[in-house]
Amino acid sequence: MAFPQIALAQLRQGRGLKSPGFSVIQFLEGVVDEMNSPTDEQAALIKLTMERKVMSYPIKRTY
């Protein structure tokens, strides 16, 4: 049996991950509403962080 089939069988058996209840879903919706949406710059920073990438910073020149 391939691993996707095993994983789905485990879900059906109630092993491992479980679906959250309705009250948990409502709570999470409230949390997301409170957090609002990230700006483009914040989303880019989150993406870089999740991908474990390092950004080079521009060199500040003083004349």
Side-chain angles (χ1 to χ4, degrees):
M1 188 182 298
F3 82 89
Q5 292 172 315
I6 295 170
L8 291 173
Q10 291 168 341
L11 284 169
R12 289 185 199 104
Q13 295 164 0
R15 296 172 47 204
L17 294 175
K18 297 177 183 174
S19 295
F22 182 69
S23 61
V24 173
I25 292 172
Q26 282 185 313
F27 173 76
L28 291 174
E29 287 175 346
V31 170
V32 170
D33 286 344
E34 284 287 317
M35 289 176 62
N36 207 351
S37 297
T39 62
D40 290 342
E41 293 79 10
Q42 292 167 341
L45 181 59
I46 291 167
K47 182 178 179 182
L48 282 172
T49 303
M50 295 297 293
E51 294 174 355
R52 297 179 182 244
K53 292 185 178 175
V54 178
M55 224 178 96
S56 60
Y57 293 95
I59 298 171
K60 184 177 181 182
R61 298 179 191 255
T62 55
Y63 295 97

